[in-house]
């Protein structure tokens, strides 16, 4: 098995402005430097973090309050340290079990409070999921996919002139999923003058939320590099609706923008995401029905919830030849059921009554780690350590479960984001690994 781990150490780059740790145009800058360059340790090994704080690039003294706890869990230790010449060192201790510790920092200057945090890992190659595979997991999904495929492939295709360029053509797609009229929408991008039997196809599922497809041309370089790419929404809402209309629909249907992830969780047959997972497979049916498809290459690519849906689709559908995912959500969701263990987004531990035995049982049928066991496609996974949305603990639970040809791009400083360069690099990875 090929494992190429690329460590991008960006801890000393103040030009990173997208991360929550680095507010845009702030006069103040935190720098945290673990004594292991890769931010990784073995269980039982103590980790030391050098803390630096600057104003206008000048080292600044002060008192820093800190807390130390397991990834996404309450702090177990609190303390204070005094910055001298803008620097201090904190021994954060160790872990007895594989996982991550999170050092949270806070200082107050002239009445304003500045926060920062950094996570380091221990024996991360030994992190295993809490979630176990149900005995009938495979048969459950085979049965549901067969039922979904019994409905004839049916979709409409309308030219979206506003997203066409001199290099690509774009169409608004409405894919009907079943006889009840449920559907999903998406934008389908073609290279200009696409040729029959010549083009790889790429499915891009969305991140979490009830929202329109933002900036459909952002990833135009897929079509400009010869790929047919379908970027979908999952709620059956036309992406041409306004942001306000999406907000009103979301408010009407959900207690929060991602409330659909709670809907029907008491029963595996009624869970909201069942239709979503099957819709991703039906999207592959659509893409592979296109006469311009090259007949070989089927790629799934997405981040967060989209990363989860990419891995899930690759696990369900053996036509998928490449899987590219950022910090996958919906991973080891029930982990919080075990005391002291980190679970994955949407963090059901924060919601009343969501970690009941019935709901935990349903979660197992929808958890990324169980689909990861069935992925055969070449897989490229990216995640950061400082992520508090899809924590590194659960990304490693997925990574360690995958049993396929795989590569990882690990960006320790990243929170819940990827740079434009990283996302373009994923397209380049896909091109490099195409079958001809």
């Amino acid at each position: 098995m090929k494992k190429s781990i690329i460590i991008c150490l960006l801890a000393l780059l103040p030009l990173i402005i997208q991360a929550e740790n680095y507010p845009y145009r702030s006069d103040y800058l935190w720098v945290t430097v673990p004594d292991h360059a890769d931010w990784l340790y073995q269980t039982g090994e103590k980790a030391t973090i050098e803390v630096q704080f600057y104003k206008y690039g000048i080292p600044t003294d002060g008192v820093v309050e800190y807390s130390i706890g397991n990834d996404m869990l309450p702090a177990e230790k609190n303390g204070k340290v005094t910055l001298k010449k803008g620097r201090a060192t904190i021994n954060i201790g160790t872990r007895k079990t594989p996982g991550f510790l999170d050092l949270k920092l806070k200082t107050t200057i002239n009445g304003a409070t500045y926060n920062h945090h950094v996570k380091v890992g221990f024996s991360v190659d030994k992190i295993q999921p809490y979630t176990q595979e149900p005995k009938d997991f495979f048969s459950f999904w085979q049965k549901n996919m067969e039922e979904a495929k019994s409905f004839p492939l049916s979709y409409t295709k309308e030219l979206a002139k506003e997203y066409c360029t001199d290099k690509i053509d774009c169409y608004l797609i409405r894919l009907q999923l079943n006889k009840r009229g449920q559907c999903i929408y998406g934008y389908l991008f073609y290279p200009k003058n696409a040729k029959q039997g010549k083009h790889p196809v790429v499915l891009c599922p969305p991140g979490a939320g009830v929202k329109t497809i933002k900036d459909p041309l952002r990833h135009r370089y897929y079509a400009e590099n010869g790929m047919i790419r379908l970027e979908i929404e999952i709620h059956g809402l036309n992406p041409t609706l306004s942001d306000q209309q999406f907000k009103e629909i979301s408010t009407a249907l959900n207690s929060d923008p991602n409330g659909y992830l709670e809907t029907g969780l008491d029963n595996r047959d009624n869970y909201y995401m069942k239709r979503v997972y099957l819709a991703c497979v039906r999207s592959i049916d659509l893409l592979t029905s296109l006469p311009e498809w090259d007949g070989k290459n089927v790629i799934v690519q997405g981040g967060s919830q989209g990363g989860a849906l990419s891995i899930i689709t690759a696990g369900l559908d053996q036509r998928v030849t490449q899987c590219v995912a950022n910090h996958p959500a919906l991973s080891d969701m029930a982990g919080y059921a075990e005391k002291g263990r980190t679970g994955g987004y949407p963090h059901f531990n924060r919601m009343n009554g969501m970690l009941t035995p019935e709901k935990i049982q349903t979660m197992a049928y929808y958890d990324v780690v169980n689909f990861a066991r069935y992925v055969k496609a070449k897989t490229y996974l990216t995640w950061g350590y400082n992520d508090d949305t899809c924590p590194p603990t659960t990304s490693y639970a997925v990574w360690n479960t995958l049993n396929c040809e795989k590569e990882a791009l690990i960006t320790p400083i990243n929170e819940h984001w990827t740079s434009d360069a990283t996302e373009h690099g994923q397209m380049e990875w896909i091109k490099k690994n195409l079958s001809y």
Side-chain angles (χ1 to χ4, degrees):
M1 178 184 297
K2 181 181 180 183
K3 295 184 180 179
S4 176
I5 309 294
I6 308 169
I7 305 295
C8 291
L9 296 175
L10 304 177
L12 301 178
L13 296 184
L15 295 180
I16 298 296
I17 60 175
Q18 291 174 289
E20 292 86 339
N21 265 347
Y22 295 98
Y24 181 46
R25 293 186 176 181
S26 174
D27 293 330
Y28 293 90
L29 173 69
W30 291 93
V31 176
T32 44
V33 185
D35 60 336
H36 282 197
D38 60 1
W39 302 29
L40 297 178
Y41 303 78
Q42 296 301 310
T43 50
E45 186 177 14
K46 291 183 179 180
T48 300
I49 310 293
E50 182 183 47
V51 177
Q52 304 172 22
F53 190 68
Y54 300 89
K55 180 179 182 180
Y56 309 136
I58 300 170
T60 300
D61 291 346
V63 175
V64 174
E65 299 178 44
Y66 67 85
S67 65
I68 303 166
N70 293 325
D71 193 9
M72 304 302 297
L73 297 174
E76 297 180 352
K77 181 180 179 181
N78 297 281
K80 293 182 180 180
V81 67
T82 300
L83 297 169
K84 296 181 179 180
K85 296 183 179 181
R87 297 180 180 232
T89 299
I90 301 174
N91 184 336
I92 68 169
T94 189
R95 285 182 58 109
K96 295 180 180 179
T97 58
F100 279 78
L101 286 179
D102 190 359
L103 171 66
K104 295 181 179 179
L105 306 163
K106 180 175 71 173
T107 191
T108 301
I109 298 176
N110 297 326
T113 297
Y114 302 90
N115 296 290
H116 192 78
H117 83 122
V118 59
K119 299 183 189 182
V120 297
F122 296 83
S123 299
V124 295
D125 58 318
K126 294 181 173 62
I127 294 174
Q128 293 296 316
Y130 169 86
T131 301
Q132 300 298 306
E133 181 182 341
K135 291 181 179 179
D136 62 345
F137 175 84
F138 184 81
S139 61
F140 171 78
W141 283 108
Q142 284 295 111
K143 177 178 178 291
N144 281 287
M145 286 195 295
E146 289 170 5
E147 289 179 0
K149 286 179 179 289
S150 68
F151 182 78
L153 183 64
S154 176
Y155 66 93
T156 61
K157 182 179 175 184
E158 176 185 348
L159 186 67
K161 293 182 180 179
E162 66 271 32
Y163 300 125
C164 295
T165 72
D166 60 336
K167 296 181 180 180
I168 61 177
D169 290 321
C170 178
Y171 295 86
L172 177 63
I173 298 294
R174 181 187 183 275
L175 172 62
Q176 188 167 339
L177 302 176
N178 50 50
K179 62 184 179 182
R180 297 191 299 279
Q182 292 178 315
C183 69
I184 61 169
Y185 285 84
Y187 284 115
L188 182 63
F189 290 91
Y190 285 87
K192 187 73 77 173
N193 301 316
K195 297 179 181 179
Q196 186 167 334
K198 294 295 184 180
H199 303 279
V201 292
V202 183
L203 172 66
C204 179
V210 180
K211 56 185 183 293
T212 189
I213 297 173
K214 288 284 189 183
D215 191 10
L217 285 173
R218 180 184 173 197
H219 295 105
R220 70 182 75 184
Y221 44 77
Y222 279 85
E224 291 174 348
N225 280 269
M227 303 177 203
I228 298 171
R229 187 172 189 266
L230 176 61
E231 185 166 352
I232 62 172
E233 65 82 48
I234 58 171
H235 303 290
L237 299 174
N238 191 319
T240 62
L241 295 173
S242 68
D243 287 344
Q244 182 60 31
Q245 288 171 310
F246 269 94
K247 182 178 179 180
E248 290 174 355
I249 292 169
S250 177
T251 301
L253 297 179
N254 299 295
S255 57
D256 62 66
N258 305 331
Y260 60 89
L261 291 169
E262 305 168 36
T263 303
L265 196 54
D266 286 307
N267 186 300
R268 67 179 187 177
D269 293 308
N270 297 333
Y271 187 38
Y272 187 94
M273 296 301 285
K274 177 182 174 182
R275 176 174 61 85
V276 174
Y277 290 13
L278 296 174
C280 289
V281 176
R282 291 302 273 167
S283 296
I284 299 294
D285 290 341
L286 187 161
L287 287 167
T288 56
S289 75
L290 300 175
E292 296 86 359
W293 176 46
D294 65 10
K296 297 178 181 178
N297 294 287
V298 178
I299 301 104
V300 287
Q301 177 269 324
S304 194
Q305 178 185 263
L309 294 174
S310 295
I311 295 171
I312 288 162
T313 306
L316 285 174
D317 196 327
Q318 297 303 303
R319 291 173 295 181
V320 174
T321 56
Q322 294 184 49
C323 175
V324 176
N326 309 328
H327 39 252
L330 313 179
S331 300
D332 210 20
M333 293 179 283
Y336 291 111
E338 181 179 303
K339 185 178 179 181
R341 180 184 276 269
T342 302
Y345 182 88
H347 305 294
F348 285 126
N349 62 315
R350 300 173 181 174
M351 310 170 197
N352 291 330
M354 297 305 295
L355 290 177
T356 65
E358 295 79 13
K359 291 178 180 178
I360 289 174
Q361 184 178 34
T362 297
M363 287 178 207
Y365 288 92
Y366 291 87
D367 200 289
V368 169
V369 297
N370 284 332
F371 293 92
R373 305 178 201 280
Y374 292 92
V375 173
K376 301 302 180 187
K378 294 180 181 179
T379 298
Y380 186 47
L381 198 62
T382 297
W383 67 97
Y385 292 167
N386 286 342
D387 197 331
D388 275 346
T389 302
C390 298
T393 301
T394 59
S395 288
Y396 270 106
V398 173
W399 173 257
N400 292 337
T401 301
L402 287 166
N403 187 26
C404 57
E405 187 175 346
K406 59 185 180 179
E407 296 183 39
L409 171 63
I410 301 174
T411 56
I413 205 170
N414 283 31
E415 299 195 58
H416 198 61
W417 58 275
T418 48
S419 69
D420 290 341
T422 293
E423 293 180 13
H424 192 276
Q426 292 174 337
M427 186 275 296
E428 295 291 349
W429 186 90
I430 290 169
K431 280 181 64 177
K432 182 179 70 175
N433 286 281
L434 292 172
S435 298
Y436 294 99

